[in-house]
Amino acid sequence: MTKDNVIFFKKWFSNYCKSFYSPNSEDQKNIHLKEEYTFHVCKNILEIAKELSLSESEMMLAETVALFHDIGRFPQYAKFKTFRDSISVNHGFLGARTLLEEKQLQILPDKEQELIIQAVRFHNAFSISKGVGEDIVFFIKLIRDADKLDIWRVFLEFYEGPEEERASAVSLGLPDTPGYSEEVLSHIHGGQMAPLSKAKTLNDFKLVQLSWIYDLNFSPSFKMLLERNYIDRIVSKLPQRSEIEMAALALKEFVHKVLT
Ligand SMILES: [Fe+2]
């Protein structure tokens, strides 16, 4: 992969996004959110990759994976008007299919095409399937970390910003009711990632997002999590209960253990 390839992909991606722009302000807000979000994920992946001392060509591959990781979001939203995979389509799989159909990756060697497509396909899977080669798994792990770090940012901006600027699809249409599911919370206490399908309310979704910390892969990602204070910021948006505080403590202990 060359620098020119990356420039070409960025230009193509920007035009691809534009083809989904809508005169409906709600739809436009949601589409724009995903486009903007992509650039933050690119920044995150480069930050992690730099800390891990990747080579220049690996950095370019990582950036391209980040650029295309959510390409499936655009046709997903166009067709279903939601970003909730469970009621529409798996956007990782749709993204991989979109890349194959659009054929833009064909300027790259086969091996790099395969890596990018697989990383896009599995970036959002609950776990990485066993049949994927180790070199590809490394990039899947990179994009999963960069993605999570930015989902937390978007989610917190949603809560910390003015109500009129909120893009509706961020909350996945989940009801903002008091209380939360003990089952979702128990995943955090058990040191496990909670499946998104278990989230029935917005509070459950916040807990699910906290449980993603157990799925982070690289120490620079844990450092970024701490620098951005995501744990406390998400916890402050949950009911102030001692069992939630205990969960936050368990997560912080886990992070510190990883980093020491
Ligand atoms: Fe995604």
Side-chain angles (χ1 to χ4, degrees), residues 6-222:
V6 180
I7 293 167
F8 170 78
F9 289 142
K10 282 184 182 168
K11 237 186 224 154
W12 181 81
F13 178 74
S14 159
N15 286 328
Y16 182 78
C17 293
K18 281 195 186 88
S19 72
F20 290 90
Y21 283 4
S22 165
N24 175 299
S25 70
E26 188 65 27
D27 293 343
Q28 180 59 23
K29 212 192 281 182
N30 285 322
I31 287 295
H32 183 251
L33 176 92
K34 284 295 166 193
E35 186 178 1
E36 191 199 82
Y37 160 76
T38 294
F39 296 107
H40 283 275
V41 178
C42 288
K43 262 199 220 163
N44 284 344
I45 211 165
L46 288 176
E47 200 174 326
I48 300 166
K50 205 172 155 208
E51 288 288 312
L52 295 173
S53 306
L54 296 198
S55 70
E56 202 182 340
S57 70
E58 287 169 325
M59 297 268 282
M60 289 191 281
L61 263 176
E63 191 178 5
T64 307
V65 166
L67 182 70
F68 288 140
H69 83 285
D70 255 358
I71 193 162
R73 287 301 195 190
F74 299 91
Q76 176 188 40
Y77 192 84
K79 189 163 180 197
F80 301 99
K81 294 273 181 282
T82 181
F83 293 136
R84 205 164 151 193
D85 286 15
S86 62
I87 55 168
S88 58
V89 65
N90 179 325
H91 74 278
F93 277 65
L94 180 58
R97 211 176 70 205
T98 304
L99 286 174
L100 285 168
E101 283 169 4
E102 295 290 338
K103 297 187 170 69
Q104 300 300 314
L105 295 177
Q106 286 182 354
I107 53 170
L108 299 177
D110 287 355
K111 221 179 148 206
E112 293 182 351
Q113 289 185 42
E114 172 73 5
L115 186 151
I116 295 164
I117 289 168
Q118 295 282 51
V120 170
R121 181 174 287 138
F122 293 113
H123 82 274
N124 60 326
F126 188 71
S127 54
I128 303 170
S129 69
K130 292 215 161 60
V132 183
E134 240 174 79
D135 48 340
I136 298 181
V137 167
F138 177 78
F139 283 87
I140 296 178
K141 286 181 175 171
L142 273 181
I143 185 60
R144 289 168 74 90
D145 280 17
D147 194 21
K148 286 187 181 72
L149 284 161
D150 211 59
I151 295 174
W152 289 319
R153 177 193 65 83
V154 171
F155 195 69
L156 284 163
E157 276 182 8
F158 175 89
Y159 275 103
E160 292 167 355
E163 211 167 314
E164 62 275 13
E165 281 173 25
R166 292 177 183 176
S168 61
V170 173
S171 59
L172 299 180
L174 292 166
D176 194 3
T177 49
Y180 47 85
S181 145
E182 292 292 336
E183 192 193 349
V184 176
L185 185 68
S186 72
H187 277 81
I188 298 182
H189 286 298
Q192 287 174 320
M193 189 160 70
L196 187 55
S197 57
K198 299 277 176 210
K200 302 282 179 276
T201 65
L202 210 46
N203 280 338
D204 291 348
F205 185 35
K206 293 170 201 169
L207 291 170
V208 166
Q209 291 206 20
L210 282 171
S211 80
W212 290 346
I213 291 168
Y214 293 124
D215 195 50
L216 284 178
N217 298 290
F218 301 105
S219 51
S221 316
F222 285 98

